[in-house]
Structure formats: structure tokens, C-alpha cells
Amino acid sequence: MRAALDEATDAVIATGGGIVCSPDAREDLAHEFTLWLDCDDEVILARLGDVERPLLAERPAEALAKLRAIESSGTAKFRVPGSTLQHHSTK
């Protein structure tokens, strides 16, 4: 991610929710305009379907709660609640 931030001028860099697990990434994001697109855990899991996600492999509900707790600690500058989001598949 650091390389993308260093190269980008006016760009949107979409990361996964697990980006906040890295202290270095959180530090990098602290200096950027960040937006957290949030929704209910059930919606996240349904959208992921059968794809493998290492952070969610064992106990998805607990893993999502941990990610949400980290994100809620202030990494994102703005939060958009899930009720305002529409899911559009690119498949």
C-alpha cells in the first residue's frame, strides 16, 4: 500500500478491511483521507460467499468484531453506514 500512496496523486486506493491489522498500514492511513464503508457482518459474509479469507477462516464473527474494533478506534476519517450502501456485482 505504501508504494501506491507514494505514486498516487489524485487517486482512490481501495483496500480490504484487513488493512487495519497492520500497525504500519494504520500509520500510513493516518495521514490520508480515509473512508470506511461499513455494513452488518451478515452482509459482509454473504457478499464474500465461498471465497477464502485467511482472517475469517476460523471464527468469522469474532474476526469481524476484532476488525471493527480496530477500525472504530479512529483509522478512518469518515464512516458510511451500511444502510446507505448498495451492492453492485461486477461479475
Side-chain angles (χ1 to χ4, degrees):
M1 180 188 65
R2 181 73 259 161
L5 290 172
D6 288 343
E7 291 178 23
T9 52
D10 292 328
V12 173
I13 301 171
T15 68
I19 194 74
V20 298
C21 291
S22 163
D24 290 339
R26 288 195 306 271
E27 176 63 25
D28 289 342
L29 292 172
H31 307 290
E32 305 295 336
F33 175 87
T34 53
L35 182 66
W36 173 19
L37 303 177
D38 190 18
C39 59
D40 294 334
D41 292 353
E42 296 78 23
V43 174
I44 293 171
L45 294 172
R47 289 181 183 174
L48 290 173
D50 292 334
V51 298
E52 289 189 30
R53 297 289 178 146
L55 292 175
L56 304 177
E58 298 274 329
R59 297 184 179 117
E62 289 178 26
L64 287 171
K66 286 179 184 177
L67 290 172
R68 184 165 276 112
I70 294 170
E71 187 56 61
S72 295
S73 68
T75 301
K77 306 292 188 289
F78 300 94
R79 178 179 175 265
V80 179
S83 61
T84 62
L85 300 177
Q86 296 293 322
H87 179 247
H88 298 284
S89 176
T90 57
K91 295 180 182 177

